[in-house]
């Protein structure tokens, strides 16, 4: 049994009415609830009652019009998280914002505001945004090159952290008699000038309870791992096999240690549960049977950079381009390519495998089987915790908390209750001291 000092970290990944792409068509869900604030508040409260570290929201800034429509109801993360902050007290609030289509001053202000309003529970999932469709919503014909996106992201983080530190912790004397609200000597311009940004500063909001929001990253390419080793405090990742998970975990930990840092590694997992193996497999088959091949093939074509619209569903994938030619999400391209080759999947089988979790692990079985899987990855050096991605919501999350979580607690792998109030405390991370102590 692991020591009490090391326990699992769990985030509930909120995604409409479930992570399976056909969840909205299944009778266990109500697709109208994907646009209902009460649905998300109820899930956040349930995750808080289970002492989860955080709720997490992904994001993208484009919509498809070529057969790629999924469930509509994709709220902007910071807006939704602000609403969830008022409905909860302890659980962390992690939202995705791209460095590719925002400015660091506005972002630093937004996350500092969320951190203040939530009492120190904000986290930023940093993405660089792949693909040209998003760029075409922001006055560009095509997205920046992969390497340039990470160069911009690195500078972006230098600006954002400088802005969060532009107010010292004791910069607000609030002296009514003298009329001194803030001490000018403790509020600093940052005067940043770089290839991508020119920012004078200071931020127009005092330093927040956590100093910086928890910094999370989700890219697993070579550039993504190097960026994570320098900046991230947690990494959300996707590996299909234990060996791949162990290799990623060890490599990233080694890279972070070279910067004098540590990072938490949290793969995504889709738990498809049943009281028996057959019951779990039946739910999995029901969901896969509701997949729209037209939509799935359209999305997969975009990820792989190959038009699969006329390709036979029961044939293997056609030859794929070298990964060096991919300017989108390189790590997801490699994961899908390797999965198809390793298991010799047809196109129909591949879209079924991806329908449950978009490349994340789909674990189908009894509560004991799912708990064993989580324990194996945690104790054998492949994960510090997991992004829990229920295939249907809210029922799939209720199943996990009522059936799997008690088993993990009995094994000493997950806490019974919170011991801290901030997201950094949940993760066992210190508050950044600030640039001008």
């Amino acid at each position: 049994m692991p020591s009490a000092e090391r326990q699992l970290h769990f985030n509930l990944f909120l995604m409409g009415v479930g992570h399976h792409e056909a969840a909205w068509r299944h009778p266990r869900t109500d697709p109208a609830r994907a646009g209902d604030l009460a649905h998300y508040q109820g899930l956040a409260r349930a995750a808080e009652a289970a002492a989860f570290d955080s709720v997490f929201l992904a994001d993208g800034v484009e919509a498809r019009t070529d057969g790629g429509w999924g469930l509509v109801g994709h709220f902007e993360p910071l807006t939704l998280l602000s609403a969830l902050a008022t409905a909860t007290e302890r659980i962390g609030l992690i939202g995705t914002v791209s460095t590719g289509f925002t400015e660091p001053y506005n972002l630093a202000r937004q996350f500092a505001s969320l951190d203040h309003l939530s009492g120190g529970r904000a986290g930023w999932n940093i993405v660089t945004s792949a693909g040209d469709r998003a760029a075409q919503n922001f006055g560009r014909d095509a997205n920046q090159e992969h390497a340039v996106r990470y160069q911009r992201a690195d500078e972006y983080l230098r600006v954002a952290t400088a802005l969060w530190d532009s107010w010292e912790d004791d910069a607000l004397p609030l002296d009514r008699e003298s009329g001194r609200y803030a001490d000018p000597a403790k509020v600093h311009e940052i005067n940043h000038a770089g290839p991508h940004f020119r920012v004078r500063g200071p931020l127009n909001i005092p330093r927040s309870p956590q100093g910086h929001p928890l910094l999370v990253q989700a890219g697993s390419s070579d550039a993504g791992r190097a960026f994570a080793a320098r900046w991230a405090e947690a990494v959300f990742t996707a590996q299909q096999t234990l060996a791949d998970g162990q290799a990623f975990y060890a490599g990233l930990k080694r890279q972070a240690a070279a910067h004098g840092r540590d990072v938490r590694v949290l793969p995504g997992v889709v738990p498809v549960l049943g009281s028996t193996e057959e019951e779990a497999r039946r739910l999995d088959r029901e969901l896969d049977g509701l997949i729209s091949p037209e939509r799935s093939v359209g999305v997969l074509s975009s990820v792989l950079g190959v038009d699969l619209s006329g390709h036979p569903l029961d044939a293997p994938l056609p030859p794929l381009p070298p990964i060096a030619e991919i300017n989108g999400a390189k790590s997801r391209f490699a994961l899908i390519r390797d999965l198809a080759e390793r298991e010799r999947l047809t196109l129909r089988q591949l879209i079924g495998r991806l329908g449950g979790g978009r490349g994340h692990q789909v674990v189908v079985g009894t509560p004991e089987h799912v708990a064993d899987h989580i324990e194996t990855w945690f104790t054998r050096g492949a994960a510090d915790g997991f992004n829990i991605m229920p295939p249907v919501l809210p029922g799939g999350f209720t199943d996990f908390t009522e059936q799997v979580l008690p088993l993990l607690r009995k094994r000493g792998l997950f806490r019974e209750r919170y011991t801290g109030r901030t997201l950094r405390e949940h993760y066992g991370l210190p508050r950044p001291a600030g640039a001008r102590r």
Side-chain angles (χ1 to χ4, degrees):
M1 181 178 294
S3 68
E5 285 74 25
R6 184 173 184 261
Q7 292 193 329
L8 285 158
H9 297 286
F10 280 144
N11 304 306
L12 171 58
F13 190 160
L14 298 176
M15 178 69 75
V17 293
H19 279 270
H20 196 287
E21 69 171 73
W24 69 278
R25 301 182 65 191
H26 195 273
R28 283 190 68 183
T29 69
D30 176 2
R33 299 211 69 196
D36 182 1
L37 175 59
H39 169 68
Y40 297 99
Q41 289 177 325
L43 286 166
R45 291 190 187 107
E48 184 168 76
F52 268 45
D53 294 71
S54 78
V55 293
F56 165 65
L57 291 171
D59 194 40
V61 287
E62 74 279 349
R64 301 180 59 84
T65 57
D66 56 353
W69 286 107
L71 179 66
V72 176
H74 200 119
F75 291 116
E76 188 282 316
L78 288 174
T79 305
L80 180 53
L81 291 175
S82 295
L84 298 185
T86 68
T88 55
E89 296 180 356
R90 304 286 284 276
I91 195 163
L93 306 162
I94 301 176
T96 300
V97 181
S98 173
T99 58
F101 305 114
T102 59
E103 290 289 321
Y105 192 95
N106 286 344
L107 177 133
R109 185 186 185 198
Q110 289 167 324
F111 273 103
S113 297
L114 179 61
D115 206 47
H116 277 291
L117 293 172
S118 66
R121 295 186 282 141
W124 173 23
N125 180 45
I126 306 157
V127 298
T128 63
S129 292
D132 294 337
R133 294 184 70 96
Q136 290 160 7
N137 289 329
F138 293 87
R140 307 175 194 169
D141 293 329
N143 208 345
Q144 295 171 313
E145 292 295 319
H146 188 269
V148 175
R149 296 202 302 270
Y150 274 102
Q151 291 164 8
R152 175 186 168 98
D154 186 78
E155 185 180 344
Y156 198 116
L157 266 291
R158 285 186 278 124
V159 175
T161 53
L163 288 167
W164 288 320
D165 290 342
S166 62
W167 289 67
E168 297 183 35
D169 285 325
D170 57 351
L172 292 179
L174 301 178
D175 189 334
R176 293 179 177 180
E177 291 193 12
S178 69
R180 291 177 71 244
Y181 176 79
D183 183 347
K186 296 185 177 183
V187 182
H188 308 275
E189 295 182 357
I190 68 168
N191 293 313
H192 175 89
H196 300 280
F197 305 107
R198 294 176 60 86
V199 181
R200 178 175 178 174
L203 200 60
N204 61 349
I205 182 170
R207 201 158 192 259
S208 72
Q210 292 189 115
H212 304 169
L214 182 77
L215 297 178
V216 183
Q217 189 262 0
S220 299
S221 65
D222 290 345
R225 289 196 299 271
F227 179 85
R230 174 171 169 75
W231 291 108
E233 294 161 307
V235 169
F236 298 160
T237 186
Q239 281 84 40
Q240 285 286 322
T241 69
L242 177 63
D244 287 346
Q246 290 169 323
F248 178 86
Y249 184 96
L252 183 59
K253 294 277 187 175
R254 195 162 48 244
Q255 284 179 275
H259 290 279
R261 308 179 60 253
D262 191 14
V263 61
R264 310 290 189 264
V265 177
L266 292 92
V269 63
V270 181
V272 183
L273 288 160
S275 58
T276 65
E277 292 285 343
E278 178 52 34
E279 184 179 305
R281 291 194 191 100
R282 184 166 59 250
L283 174 59
D284 192 46
R285 288 194 299 268
E286 288 173 359
L287 287 163
D288 286 353
L290 296 171
I291 290 174
S292 167
E294 179 186 0
R295 176 184 183 276
S296 298
V297 169
V299 173
L300 187 59
S301 296
S302 296
V303 174
L304 296 179
V306 174
D307 183 4
L308 300 170
S309 57
H311 192 73
L313 286 173
D314 294 311
L317 288 178
L320 299 179
I323 195 169
E325 295 179 10
I326 299 300
N327 194 39
K330 289 181 182 287
S331 58
R332 193 54 50 94
F333 171 92
L335 183 149
I336 294 170
R337 177 201 61 197
D338 294 348
L339 172 64
E341 292 178 354
R342 182 175 61 248
E343 301 190 16
R344 299 181 180 180
L345 301 177
T346 65
L347 177 56
R348 189 190 305 277
Q349 291 169 330
L350 181 60
I351 62 177
R353 288 292 301 275
L354 298 175
R358 302 173 304 283
H360 292 279
Q361 306 162 35
V362 179
V363 183
V364 182
T366 63
E368 292 78 8
H369 175 72
V370 172
D372 289 347
H373 177 90
I374 287 172
E375 181 175 7
T376 296
W377 279 61
F378 180 63
T379 58
R380 293 180 61 182
D384 295 308
F386 289 86
N387 248 1
I388 302 300
M389 304 166 59
V392 294
L393 287 168
F397 184 59
T398 302
D399 292 345
F400 184 85
T401 57
E402 292 182 353
Q403 299 173 30
V404 179
L405 215 54
L407 298 174
L408 296 172
R409 285 181 168 140
K410 187 175 181 180
R411 301 176 192 186
L413 295 169
F414 189 65
R415 59 175 168 252
E416 295 279 351
R417 61 190 63 83
Y418 293 114
T419 57
R421 299 202 67 87
T422 71
L423 180 53
R424 288 184 169 278
E425 289 172 333
H426 299 341
Y427 270 80
L429 295 168
R431 183 179 188 269
R436 300 174 176 86
R437 287 188 291 171

